[in-house]
Amino acid sequence: MLEARKSAARPFTVVGGISPQETAGLRSARGSAAKVNLAFFWLQEFIIRESLHGSFGNVGPPIVSRLQQYSSDGHLWFNSARKVSFIPFPFPHAQLASMFVCISSVLIPTLMLSKTEFYMGLSLNFAAIVIIAGINEVAKELESPFQSIPNDIPLNLFQEQFNEALITTFSGYHPDFLNLKMKRKDISENA
């Protein structure tokens, strides 16, 4: 429930919008990856349908198959990230790492102060404990990579940048073309 509220608070922008039929299809999809699988199959179907109708122009089959390969690769990496998210880190390993930090925070100061000068031992002790505790905190964050908001991947920002790139790519304007058009406009206004 919390995950659904968190996702609803950060919606993705879809270029071209979503039709009512697509919305109904996505709402009826059940399961942890059903919506993503449905959208993936829609994309595959779209590529095949547009290729068969000739909408891509005079594009060879290897290029069309490369489009499907790239979308398939994206789906593969989504499933890999999903596995990382759902498969828990081994509990005994996490407990051993926490126990190691506790033992090190007691044992390292004793050894450092017995083998070095006081101030040198103090500074080495501080550095060693901070590094070990920092590595343990990074490991805790890696155990659940998609849970913590401050360290979360900025997916909405990435989606906005991707949408902007799509709109720019498909707008049909090349910067050289725009510069040439502006120069022609300036020349016609000055004449």
Side-chain angles (χ1 to χ4, degrees):
M1 187 67 169
L2 176 66
E3 195 66 33
R5 275 189 276 153
K6 186 173 90 172
S7 296
R10 302 182 302 171
F12 283 125
T13 305
V14 178
V15 176
I18 301 174
S19 72
Q21 294 86 2
E22 291 170 334
T23 303
L26 288 171
R27 284 199 175 126
S28 67
R30 299 286 178 236
S32 61
K35 290 178 171 90
V36 175
N37 287 328
L38 182 61
F40 171 70
F41 291 131
W42 285 344
L43 178 63
Q44 293 289 336
E45 178 193 11
F46 173 76
I47 292 170
I48 293 168
R49 185 180 63 237
E50 295 302 314
S51 173
L52 291 174
H53 284 84
S55 300
F56 292 153
N58 192 16
V59 175
I63 303 298
V64 175
S65 71
R66 184 59 62 127
L67 283 172
Q68 289 197 320
Q69 177 187 353
Y70 280 138
S71 63
S72 177
D73 288 348
H75 193 64
L76 174 76
W77 287 109
F78 164 76
N79 283 322
S80 295
R82 203 170 126 259
K83 281 189 261 181
V84 167
S85 175
F86 287 131
I87 297 173
F89 196 75
F91 183 73
H93 188 276
Q95 293 303 308
L96 284 174
S98 296
M99 189 173 68
F100 176 72
V101 170
C102 292
I103 290 173
S104 296
S105 63
V106 173
L107 191 61
I108 288 178
T110 307
L111 293 174
M112 287 285 185
L113 291 175
S114 69
K115 299 293 182 182
T116 61
E117 298 175 14
F118 179 75
Y119 293 110
M120 180 64 118
L122 196 62
S123 60
L124 288 175
N125 174 38
F126 178 76
I129 296 301
V130 165
I131 289 170
I132 290 172
I135 290 172
N136 189 44
E137 289 301 314
V138 169
K140 284 181 190 177
E141 185 66 33
L142 289 175
E143 287 177 24
S144 56
F146 304 111
Q147 304 296 322
S148 176
I149 297 293
N151 296 325
D152 207 359
I153 298 171
L155 294 178
N156 287 343
L157 175 65
F158 293 162
Q159 182 68 33
E160 288 296 324
Q161 290 172 345
F162 181 72
N163 288 347
E164 186 178 310
L166 281 177
I167 291 168
T168 304
T169 301
F170 291 110
S171 66
Y173 296 110
H174 191 273
D176 293 339
F177 176 74
L178 287 175
N179 289 336
L180 182 63
K181 192 174 181 181
M182 293 299 234
K183 286 179 187 176
R184 286 183 183 165
K185 184 177 178 185
D186 290 340
I187 291 170
S188 66
E189 286 177 359
N190 292 336

